[in-house]
Amino acid sequence: RIPLVIHNGLHDLMFLLTHCHNARLPESFEDTKKVIRGYFPVVYDTKILGTEYSDAIIKSGNSALGDLFDTTCNASDANGDVPSMKAPLITNQDGRSQGQAHEAAWDAYMTGCVFNALCNRILESKNRFSADLTLDDLLHESSDGMLREWIGLNKIYMHVSLYTIDLESSSGPAPGMHDPLSSGLSVDTTFRVSGIATSVSTRDILQALTAGNESEEEAIRESRYEIIWVDDTSFFVGTRMADCVSGDDGDATGLVASHVRSKLHAGLGGDVEILPLGEYFKKKHEDATETMKSTTSETGGIVDSFVSVAMSPLKILGRAFSYGKRSSEDDGNVESAKRPRKSS
């Protein structure tokens, strides 16, 4: 199986489907994922590889393609912390100048180099605890389970969202969600907030969440917050917990969740509604089920009712994660509202 390697390439895949498969994409998001897998059964996204599967040095840097290329293939850190992979040199036809970012051939070249370099960094850390494994062995001799666990097989970065597209997933962490939350986020520490004043800005929210955190426990001090606007009076906030805090640590998760709730109520007013993500999607899923029953009763069309319910998670996700109106603002230990992860 020949892999397709992309960098933040969801839009590129959509372009290929609409120009080479059908000008109209399937109604269902799940059906769209099936079409992608039909053409490309093995996909790796270097954006996901860098932000979710790499070491702390890579995760803490910029995950734009050009920056990843410079970090992994062009220059060593002054302290020697970032080893370079010697990338083969290519030039333009004049033989003198190199390409630049957003030129198709140069981007393809950088993507291949970054994939090679990041995979080898991951292998270097894994091989400390097991027998030596080469990149060729990993790609061609390993199980799909290992490839998914180590380098994110068939997972694609989703811009301006709190989740990662998983081409193999049909169920997510909550009813109505078909994909996992991105690395470091938890259903228990992600909330849907509504009923806020229209004058509230992203900066107001971030200041409410971070004020006085210097004296809090490490799980709170090291947390990062991602905000996705739904409309002028509601948004989602996700808490990306530090690598030192296990997602299975119920005490830490509970502490962070309580912190987010209390800070938002104190900073935005006690009348705002704050729902955990799982509870919010459960409610939406129940509403969709009721819609199906109502539609069946009124029209007698079971097919129409089924399509309505099948579409509801996609509509929820679209409204929830993709169309924020507020401008993004960075502030210290937080990440921007319109760019929840560093984007290219």
Side-chain angles (χ1 to χ4, degrees), residues 171-193:
S171 61
M177 289 190 69
H178 292 216
D179 294 274
L181 292 173
S182 61
S183 179
L185 296 178
S186 165
V187 171
D188 297 322
T189 57
T190 301
F191 300 89
R192 203 262 192 181
V193 183

Side-chain angles (χ1 to χ4, degrees), residues 263-284:
K263 287 287 189 176
L264 289 177
H265 275 306
L268 304 180
D271 294 334
V272 299
E273 182 181 35
I274 303 175
L275 284 178
L277 187 66
E279 185 177 333
Y280 171 74
F281 272 97
K282 180 181 178 181
K283 182 176 183 299
K284 286 294 183 181

Side-chain angles (χ1 to χ4, degrees), residues 3-23:
L4 173 69
V5 181
I6 60 177
H7 180 87
N8 193 12
L10 178 61
H11 287 176
D12 300 292
L13 291 173
M14 296 298 99
F15 180 89
L16 285 174
L17 292 187
T18 54
H19 285 71
C20 303
H21 170 72
N22 191 313

